[in-house]
Amino acid sequence: MRSLLIIFSIITSISISAQITITMELDGGVYKVPCVVNGAKMKFIFDTGASTVCLSESMAEYLLDNDYLSRADIVGIGTSIVADGSEVEHVKIILRDIEIGGLHLKDVDACIIEGQKAPLLLGQTAIQKLGEIRIDGNRLVINGYASMSDAEAEKVFAQ
């Protein structure tokens, strides 16, 4: 009975400390979430309607020029349907690490959309890795982690 109580206590403490709240910035009618992509600080539009993480061509060039992205991270080409319904070509890439609120999402599929005005979109290829989320006004509440690393799990367990 005592061991069952200890296990219940551990599970409860993990679930309590597993919640992370991130304040998003309202910008032009959309919410942006601070992220670190392969070491580079960025703000992405939190877009649950986007199927993938999208980078502008100018941001991708910046990442390449400053060694945050390598040629090995470029994996092909494809097409996307954008918000206005038109089809555009994109370059497929892998973002090795996206940090959001201290969580590290590994090997996230993303695309580079041509054009200087293309926004940075945090789409479903990253959002799904966060696990259970809730949006409460300008707060993004993450309740579970679909891709918690062993080190992160140990850290939570220690708390």
Side-chain angles (χ1 to χ4, degrees):
M1 180 66 173
R2 179 173 160 78
S3 62
L4 185 59
L5 187 57
I6 291 170
I7 291 171
F8 177 74
S9 176
I10 290 170
I11 291 170
T12 303
S13 68
I14 288 173
S15 64
I16 290 170
S17 63
Q19 184 173 354
I20 293 174
T21 301
I22 301 166
T23 301
M24 297 185 290
E25 175 185 316
L26 184 60
D27 182 15
V30 296
Y31 284 111
K32 291 186 175 180
V33 62
C35 301
V36 180
V37 176
N38 296 346
K41 292 182 179 182
M42 308 171 127
K43 291 183 182 176
F44 281 83
I45 295 171
F46 192 82
D47 190 350
T48 59
S51 60
T52 189
V53 172
C54 295
L55 299 174
S56 64
E57 187 176 22
S58 59
M59 182 54 72
E61 287 173 4
Y62 168 81
L63 294 175
L64 277 167
D65 290 345
N66 292 284
D67 297 324
Y68 294 113
L69 193 63
S70 73
R71 299 270 177 218
D73 297 324
I74 300 170
V75 295
I77 57 170
T79 56
S80 295
I81 306 287
V82 294
D84 69 3
S86 62
E87 191 172 289
V88 296
E89 276 198 356
H90 66 246
V91 175
K92 296 179 187 179
I93 61 172
I94 301 291
L95 298 176
R96 299 293 170 203
D97 182 66
I98 300 178
E99 181 185 345
I100 302 172
L103 299 174
H104 290 269
L105 310 178
K106 300 294 184 185
D107 299 326
V108 177
D109 291 334
C111 66
I112 300 169
I113 302 291
E114 187 177 325
Q116 296 290 342
K117 298 222 183 238
L120 302 177
L121 302 177
L122 192 71
Q124 288 296 324
T125 53
I127 293 170
Q128 289 178 358
K129 290 184 177 229
L130 291 173
E132 182 185 331
I133 63 164
R134 183 179 84 243
I135 298 174
D136 184 12
N138 70 332
R139 296 180 318 142
L140 171 62
V141 181
I142 304 168
N143 290 316
Y145 318 121
S147 61
M148 183 185 290
S149 71
D150 291 338
E152 290 168 329
E154 287 177 24
K155 188 175 177 182
V156 170
F157 181 74
Q159 292 175 353

